Amino acid sequence: MSPKTLYDKIWDAHVVHEDANGTCLLYIDRHLVHEVTSPQAFEGLRMAGRKVRAPDKTIAVPDHNVPTTAGREDPKNMTEDSAIQVAALDTNAKEFGIHYYPVSDIRQGIVHIVGPEQGWTLPGMTVVCGDSHTATHGAFGALAHGIGTSEVEHVLATQTLIQKKSKNMKVEITGKLRPGVTAKDITLSVIGETGTAGGTGYVIEYCGEAIRDLSMEGRMTVCNMAIEGGARAGLIAPDEKTFEYVRGRPHAPKGAQWEAALAWWKTLYSDDDAHWDKVVTIKGEDIAPVVTWGTSPEDVLPITAAVPAPEDFEGGKVDAARRSLDYMGLEPGQKLTDIEIDTVFIGSCTNGRIEDLRAAAEILKGKKVKDGMRAMVVPGSGLVRAQAEEEGIADIFKQAGFEWRLAGCSMCLAMNPDQLSEGERCASTSNRNFEGRQGYKGRTHLVSPAMAAAAAVTGKLTDVRDLM
Amino acid sequence: MDKFEKLTGIAAPMPLVNIDTDMIIPKVFLKTIKRSGLGVNLFDEMRYDRQGNEIEDFVLNQPQYREAEILVAGDNFGCGSSREHAPWALKDFGIKAVVSTSFADIFYNNCFKNGILPIVLPQDAVDVLMKDAEKGSNARMTVDLEAQTVTTSDGEVFSFEVDSFKKHCLLNGLDDIGLSMEKAGSIDSFEQKAAQARPWV
Ligand code: SF4
């Protein structure tokens, strides 16, 4: 048999039908659903008199819209349009008989955190969701990607997706990371290197010692932002750490099924002589704690650098950089560490897991948020929140002056009341620094949780290594 | 779904690179449970000021581009989220084709599901089309899906590639759920095989 990549193996195991021109019908093992991109899909089913083909493989949770403050079970505490979307999900989940975690359930949280936490996401699966950050689940060696609402409807009706195979790209991070450097810095640095369109047309497999050394949480952070690099999906081959994470989760296989699953999972790696269409190699030692300065995730620089000038770029990027600097209110040549911050947001499906909260708390221990700043932690799920409370991390945040919120997407995309105001500048652990992403004319600098905590303490973008 | 065959219309130039889905349709407009009515909010934050007044220089506010049916855009158009509200908003405004050097993957797929044709061309071709679009409403561009060509107002012709299945669906306005449901037999037998090979799924 010819050598295969991990992506090839998962793909081949899920092809239901292939047309002469290579268009495939791909079987979907898990379909995750949230309130924003699904109402029109369920409505479409209803209008066509169709059912959900595999309700037992379909999992829904409200996350994008929900407030993260107490009393949110009461729709009166939501804006009217948010309440309508959440109520639509409630109704659709019941009517179509799919798994559902309402806001009142402690297991509720960001869909990409809930899936792995509950053991819905397993190695070798195909996982889709009407959300681009579905790439997160690739950390388990699952082929996971975002889809649009028409495709959500297609998966609901047929449990398949019409797909053409992407190309294979390998991103290798060799060696060890230096102290203060985290998974977030890896993933941002890769995008800085390849650009936001560098992965377009590819599925990326991340590998190398620095990736192997990451925890499952860290691997999820890396894969989460594969989409920001333009890739359809990001993948990491499963290993003992993956199996350990999965073992015992509510929906993970048990007993003899566990053994059978494990035997297959252990075959899920790229063969030595597999073909790669593109390879990017970065030395782990070369990665520094990074921040974004502009309004595209590719606008990444080490925290020790200075704001670039538009003339430093070429082609269409010159104008884009000029527009970014204007939007961000920054001057070329300004040191990044001189940029003052108004708000710190720790959370999102990129960095809302327990390890992320631990990393931030480690920096915050015994320190205070700088006077006059707003600082907010939004755990990725109710269970992450409960664990952080048990570990005493919640107390560290609260004592430092952070708001300790309920789980949801929150200020990652600011569809709920957690928003930046005009000109407000935020160090955020989320994944997108687009114009208006965190609030109209809000200014976002993407950073790791440790760097966000450091910024909260000093009131400026800060090299976390100075506080370690 | 609406068919797309051939279109001659006004093209609006948007040379900015990395136009993301938050720019195309900001998230405040995602709270709808319908597909229609998003056109007035297309490019909302670029198109209107905070008081809701039109920003004059924005291309689609200029008189000659109000009826635009084609966009010629900078690289990596539609990057960002999976929101299908982006093509819904474009469509509702009246945009039926977008030309760029590259598109983000999910956005690209979403266009086809909504009768919009995204066209990928090399930089030099996009440069020529951008210039043509800048001429305003007297210059009408022609997009022919059957022939896979874009023709400038001066008659210069550029050929583009498109997946044959996607082309077929768009030309005929086919709903792919219906098409896939015809393969229910294959899905059933796949499920039976998979249940034996991977019973834990
Ligand atoms: S946390 Fe942010 S990126 Fe993740 S699913 Fe929610 S809105 Fe999307």
Side-chain angles (χ1 to χ4, degrees), chain A residues 34 63-64 110-112 131-133 136 224 347-350 408-414 430-432 437:
Chain A
H34 66 81
D63 55 1
H64 282 62
I110 304 168
V111 62
H112 308 308
D131 186 280
S132 55
H133 292 98
T136 314
N224 175 274
S348 87
C349 60
T350 317
C409 295
S410 177
M411 205 191 267
C412 174
L413 94 165
S430 55
N431 45 44
R432 288 196 175 132
R437 171 80 176 181

Side-chain angles (χ1 to χ4, degrees), chain A residues 13-17 19 21 23 25 27 29-30 36-37 39-41 44 50 53-54 57 65 79 81-82 84-85 88 122 124-125 130-132 146-151 153-154 157-160 162-164 196-197 200 227 230 232 253 257 260-261 264-265 295-296 298 316-317 319-320 323 413-416 422 432 434-441, chain B residues 15-23 26-36 38 44-46 48-51 55 58 74-76 79-85 88 102-106 108-110 112-114 123 162-166 169 175-191 193-195 197-201:
Chain A
H14 290 86
V15 175
V16 172
H17 181 270
D19 276 355
N21 77 343
T23 303
L25 204 58
Y27 194 79
D29 293 325
R30 291 286 179 265
V36 177
T37 55
Q40 293 88 348
R50 290 169 177 150
R53 181 179 170 103
K57 294 173 179 167
N65 262 315
T79 59
D81 40 10
S82 293
I84 289 173
Q85 275 193 339
L122 300 172
M125 280 185 163
D131 186 280
S132 55
I147 54 179
T149 298
S150 295
E151 289 174 318
E153 187 178 336
H154 190 281
T158 68
Q159 205 57 28
T160 63
I162 299 172
Q163 287 277 291
K164 255 204 162 155
T196 48
T200 304
I227 184 72
R232 165 153 308 172
Q257 295 222 341
W264 187 56
W265 295 346
T295 54
S296 165
E298 70 190 10
K317 190 72 192 168
D319 277 342
R323 185 182 165 97
L413 94 165
M415 271 187 85
N416 77 348
E422 216 167 313
R432 288 196 175 132
F434 296 158
E435 290 181 17
R437 171 80 176 181
Q438 297 194 290
Y440 181 77
K441 299 266 157 127
Chain B
L16 194 64
V17 299
N18 296 334
I19 293 181
D20 58 64
T21 52
D22 285 67
M23 290 179 178
K27 74 224 148 214
V28 282
F29 305 109
L30 307 189
K31 293 191 185 180
T32 168
I33 56 173
K34 299 206 285 287
R35 292 175 203 242
S36 54
L38 290 165
D44 196 85
E45 289 178 7
M46 301 162 97
Y48 307 104
D49 66 18
R50 224 37 228 289
Q51 286 70 47
I55 298 171
F58 182 68
D75 194 39
N76 199 26
C79 58
S81 87
S82 64
R83 62 187 69 159
E84 202 159 315
H85 309 69
W88 293 338
S102 74
F103 292 89
D105 194 45
I106 304 176
Y108 186 81
N109 282 320
N110 283 343
F112 284 97
K113 316 274 178 200
N114 292 284
Q123 188 71 55
V162 59
D163 175 75
S164 54
F165 176 73
K166 289 193 166 85
C169 289
D175 154 27
D176 30 75
I177 298 182
L179 287 176
S180 295
M181 288 187 94
E182 288 171 10
K183 304 206 178 84
S186 309
I187 304 174
D188 289 339
S189 53
F190 179 92
E191 275 179 341
K193 267 192 301 170
R198 298 180 289 123
W200 60 86
V201 171

Side-chain angles (χ1 to χ4, degrees), chain B residues 4-19:
Chain B
F4 185 109
E5 290 165 323
K6 190 170 175 178
L7 158 75
T8 299
I10 300 167
M14 291 193 78
L16 194 64
V17 299
N18 296 334
I19 293 181

Side-chain angles (χ1 to χ4, degrees), chain A residues 414-429:
Chain A
M415 271 187 85
N416 77 348
D418 307 338
Q419 305 188 359
L420 296 181
S421 54
E422 216 167 313
E424 191 174 347
R425 190 182 294 282
C426 179
S428 175
T429 67

